[in-house]
Amino acid sequence: MNAITSLKSFFIGRVSGLGAPLYAHAGRITVPLDDPHDELADHAPDHDPAEGQSFAIDYEDHAGNLSHRRISVWAIQRNVEGIPILLAKCHERQAARAFRVDRIKAVTDFDGTRREPLSRFFFETFGFTWPKDAIIVPDPEPADARWDRIRTLINRSGVVLLVALALADGDLGAAEMEEIQFFCERTCASAGLDLTGGERERLAAYLGRLRPTEESIDTALDTLLESARPTISALLKAGLKVIGADGVLNEEEAVLLDSFCITLTGQGLL
């Protein structure tokens, strides 16, 4: 097994055994016995990655079945009509499903917060506008343009991998979240973006919804491995801080991260 394969196995192993996310409204979860799901957009094999953003949805499928379920989105496609389709892990079925956004009736964060309006949620979380005429902006709003850049920067830097490390014990703790947010803020600052208080709050909410899937980890690693050595080193250094954020450093994990860093950058972490 080469270093890259080992690295992928290491990160995917951190999320493969995780159970479904805790949900404040778990009693509302309903999935029909007959659970057909929407077809993928066969004409468009390419898709936009989506990091593993996670939440609950009220959904009506093409057969008219209603459901309320937890999902983690790892990619976005569009069908022949141009309608975005969320490719996601359904935590109730423990399987991949495709969800057309025009059939999503409501979105709820796992803490029970309803996300309204849906058009704003889709725009802020995934960067697309739906319905197409929902947000009419002659020129990009500065705040939205900055947020889109922030989201792109932190995802290209590998933040999904840090969240995977933090969730290895089944919980994203406050200390781990603080380290991840600090890494994101440093990444943005190095690109000339000093985050405002509002942007920090927006970032915290975005990070709090991340539940990396195997697919989103695979995409994040492919992006990271195409990056310069300093970017790889910065991510692995941050990973070392994340796994030790609770005051107990797992020596085996620390040694593995160190060996990965030496192999990929020529420099160690320890």
Side-chain angles (χ1 to χ4, degrees), residues 71-88:
I71 66 172
S72 292
V73 184
W74 52 269
I76 300 165
Q77 285 187 339
R78 285 168 178 78
N79 65 11
V80 293
E81 299 169 304
I83 299 172
I85 299 173
L86 306 185
L87 308 186

Side-chain angles (χ1 to χ4, degrees), residues 175-186:
E176 294 161 326
M177 174 66 88
E178 185 176 350
E179 288 292 349
I180 295 171
Q181 179 130 358
F182 186 45
F183 168 79
C184 292
E185 291 180 16
R186 288 201 313 271

Side-chain angles (χ1 to χ4, degrees), residues 9 18 31 36 43-44 46 69 77 99 106 112 125 141 149 157 159 166 176-177 180 204 211-212 221 234 253 256:
S9 297
L18 291 177
V31 181
H43 76 289
D46 294 334
R69 63 180 84 198
Q77 285 187 339
F99 301 99
T125 306
E141 297 176 11
R149 188 179 173 202
S157 70
V159 69
E176 294 161 326
M177 174 66 88
I180 295 171
R211 295 294 185 281
L221 279 171
E253 290 187 341
L256 278 172

Side-chain angles (χ1 to χ4, degrees), residues 10-11 14 161-169 176 239 242-243 257:
F10 172 76
F11 279 103
R14 295 304 172 275
L161 305 176
L162 297 183
V163 176
L165 288 176
L167 284 171
D169 60 358
E176 294 161 326
V242 168
I243 64 175
L257 288 177

Side-chain angles (χ1 to χ4, degrees), residues 7-17 213-214 217-218 221:
L7 186 63
K8 288 189 176 184
S9 297
F10 172 76
F11 279 103
I12 288 175
R14 295 304 172 275
V15 300
S16 59
T213 64
E214 293 186 16
I217 287 175
D218 201 49
L221 279 171

Side-chain angles (χ1 to χ4, degrees), residues 128-166:
F128 65 74
T129 301
W130 188 266
K132 293 179 180 179
D133 59 353
I135 303 175
I136 302 174
V137 184
D139 295 305
E141 297 176 11
D144 286 335
R146 275 177 60 91
W147 173 246
D148 192 54
R149 188 179 173 202
I150 290 166
R151 194 163 53 87
T152 300
L153 282 170
I154 64 173
N155 287 321
R156 289 195 62 83
S157 70
V159 69
V160 167
L161 305 176
L162 297 183
V163 176
L165 288 176

